[in-house]
Amino acid sequence: DDVSAGTPPTKFVRLVLALCVSKPPKQGKTKRTRQISRADVRVAFFHASIGDAKIAVNPKPGDLPITDDQKAALDQALYGTQKASLLWGEQVGRVLIREGYKRGAVSGQLSWHPSWDVSGGVRGDGFLFEGEPECLNLHEDVLLRNFDTKILARLGPGGDPRGDFLSREITWTERGFGW
């Protein structure tokens, strides 16, 4: 049994930044307006169901084997359990696919919405996506409707000049993004 999510390497941040600056301005515009959206999901693993797992509740020292009357059903994935990251990653995938996103072939934690032209990924409980502001509004609405989400300030034209992701600073100037 596979018990971990295919977490993308931190290089995916560079990919998202490169996509953001390499796409041409919208038709009829001379300046780039694409931004970076950052979001954190609170207690991410609680958003995924663990199925029929059982955990030991108050076993007495020396109680081996643990009997069924000492076990309780675990409904949500629990931080620290082996399958928590896999279940969270699969939950994210199900939600995004239902909302029209396409999952990445190399990493299921990367995705793209063809109608909105937003792309990015999730690493742990952090989402990093790029797109036009009005399309990022739609993307952030998906996150808010499906997860307990904190939307962070956007980076890029019309947004903040700096912000953190994965405990590293992303900066933006008229010359582009830095990581």
Side-chain angles (χ1 to χ4, degrees), residues 55-60 62-72:
I55 61 169
V57 178
N58 296 326
K60 295 178 184 144
D63 275 359
L64 290 178
I66 295 170
T67 61
D68 282 342
D69 65 328
Q70 294 172 302
K71 295 178 184 176

Side-chain angles (χ1 to χ4, degrees), residues 8 14 19-20 39 45 52 59 65 71 74 86 90 115 133 136 140 146 150 160 163 167-168:
R14 290 183 187 166
L19 287 170
C20 189
F45 300 120
D52 61 355
K71 295 178 184 176
L74 181 63
L86 174 67
E90 290 305 307
S115 299
L136 289 176
E140 290 170 354
N146 289 282
K150 178 182 178 185
D160 282 5
S167 300
R168 293 181 67 182

Side-chain angles (χ1 to χ4, degrees), residues 23-40:
K23 293 182 179 176
K26 291 191 317 187
Q27 190 171 348
K29 302 280 184 180
T30 57
K31 290 195 169 214
R32 296 178 192 276
T33 56
R34 294 182 83 83
Q35 296 177 326
I36 298 294
S37 167
R38 300 170 301 135
D40 284 329

Side-chain angles (χ1 to χ4, degrees), residues 11-146:
K11 290 179 191 176
F12 99 89
V13 174
R14 290 183 187 166
L15 172 65
V16 173
L17 298 177
L19 287 170
C20 189
V21 298
S22 65
K23 293 182 179 176
K26 291 191 317 187
Q27 190 171 348
K29 302 280 184 180
T30 57
K31 290 195 169 214
R32 296 178 192 276
T33 56
R34 294 182 83 83
Q35 296 177 326
I36 298 294
S37 167
R38 300 170 301 135
D40 284 329
V41 173
R42 296 175 187 95
V43 288
F45 300 120
F46 287 169
H47 293 279
S49 172
I50 199 161
D52 61 355
K54 301 268 187 191
I55 61 169
V57 178
N58 296 326
K60 295 178 184 144
D63 275 359
L64 290 178
I66 295 170
T67 61
D68 282 342
D69 65 328
Q70 294 172 302
K71 295 178 184 176
L74 181 63
D75 295 328
Q76 307 316 124
L78 185 62
Y79 182 76
T81 57
Q82 285 186 326
K83 284 193 169 185
S85 67
L86 174 67
L87 295 169
W88 165 240
E90 290 305 307
Q91 178 66 14
V92 169
R94 279 190 297 276
V95 166
L96 294 183
I97 288 169
R98 184 181 71 229
E99 297 284 348
Y101 292 76
K102 305 292 182 195
R103 282 182 97 172
V106 174
S107 173
Q109 303 306 75
L110 302 178
S111 57
W112 169 65
H113 196 293
S115 299
W116 304 339
D117 192 24
V118 296
S119 21
V122 58
R123 190 160 198 273
D125 60 1
F127 285 79
L128 188 76
F129 276 75
E130 65 80 33
E132 293 293 342
E134 61 277 6
C135 296
L136 289 176
N137 290 342
L138 299 170
H139 163 72
E140 290 170 354
D141 184 55
V142 166
L143 299 181
L144 290 167
R145 279 187 285 115
N146 289 282

